Amino acid sequence: MSPIGGVGVNLAIQDAVATANILGRPLREGRLSDEDLAAVEKRRLFPTKATQKLQLMMRSSRRTDQADAAKRKGPPAFIRGIARWPVLAHLAGRLMGLGFRMEHVRIDRKS
Ligand SMILES: Cc1cc2nc3c(=O)[nH]c(=O)nc-3n(C[C@H](O)[C@H](O)[C@H](O)COP(=O)(O)OP(=O)(O)OC[C@H]3O[C@@H](n4cnc5c(N)ncnc54)[C@H](O)[C@@H]3O)c2cc1C
C-alpha cells in the first residue's frame, strides 16, 4: 500500500472478495446469470467512484503544490492539512487502508 494513496490493489482485492461471495454459489450450481454479475457491479460501484473522487482531489491539490514547489519544504499542503488534526489523520489513514466499503470472505456452508 502506498503512503501517497495508491489503493488500486486494495480495491482489486475487495472486488475479488465481493465477486467470490456473490458468484461462488451460482457458479458452483451452474446457474450464473447476468443478474449475478450486475449484483457485483452494484456492490462495488460506490467504493470505486468514491475512491476515484478522493484520488482526483489529491491530484488537483498536488498540482497546486507543484506550482510553488520551489518555495515549499516538506509534505504537500493537502497532507499537512490532514496531519494538523489527529482525528482527521486517523480517519484518512483508515479510509486509505480499509476503503469505503470493507469486504469479508463469506463461508457458504450449504454447498
Ligand atoms: C504503473 C502503475 C503503478 C501502480 N501502483 C500502485 C501502487 O503503488 N499501489 C496500488 O495499490 N496500486 C497500484 N496500481 C494499481 C493496481 O495495479 C491496479 O489497480 C490493480 O492491479 C487492479 O487489479 P485488477 O485485478 O482489478 O485488474 P488487473 O490487475 O488489470 O487484472 C486484470 C487481468 O485481466 C486480464 N484480462 C483482461 N481482459 C481479459 C480477457 N478478455 N480475458 C482474459 N483475461 C483478461 C488482464 O490481462 C489482467 O491480467 C498501479 C498501476 C499502475 C499501472
Side-chain angles (χ1 to χ4, degrees), residues 1-12:
M1 189 195 309
S2 160
I4 56 160
V7 291
V9 170
N10 302 34
L11 276 178

Side-chain angles (χ1 to χ4, degrees), residues 28-95:
R28 276 196 302 275
E29 294 174 355
R31 53 171 182 80
L32 186 72
S33 68
D34 285 349
E35 283 76 36
D36 297 315
L37 299 177
V40 174
E41 185 175 0
K42 187 175 173 206
R43 175 148 187 101
R44 297 302 303 160
L45 200 60
F46 165 71
T48 303
K49 287 197 164 183
T51 306
Q52 281 178 333
K53 187 99 183 151
L54 190 66
Q55 290 198 310
L56 284 173
M57 279 166 56
M58 288 173 76
R59 206 168 65 182
S60 57
S61 126
R62 217 177 290 154
R63 218 178 286 137
T64 318
D65 285 350
Q66 278 164 1
D68 53 18
K71 291 180 253 164
R72 175 173 55 84
K73 280 193 178 133
F78 182 79
I79 304 293
R80 286 201 310 272
I82 288 175
R84 220 170 282 142
W85 305 91
V87 174
L88 216 54
H90 174 80
L91 285 176
R94 193 180 158 81
L95 204 59

Side-chain angles (χ1 to χ4, degrees), residues 17-18 20-22 24-25 28 103-111:
V17 171
N21 285 342
I22 294 170
R25 184 186 273 196
R28 276 196 302 275
E103 299 291 349
H104 301 281
V105 175
R106 208 168 50 219
I107 310 284
D108 189 353
R109 297 187 194 283
K110 284 189 183 155
S111 47

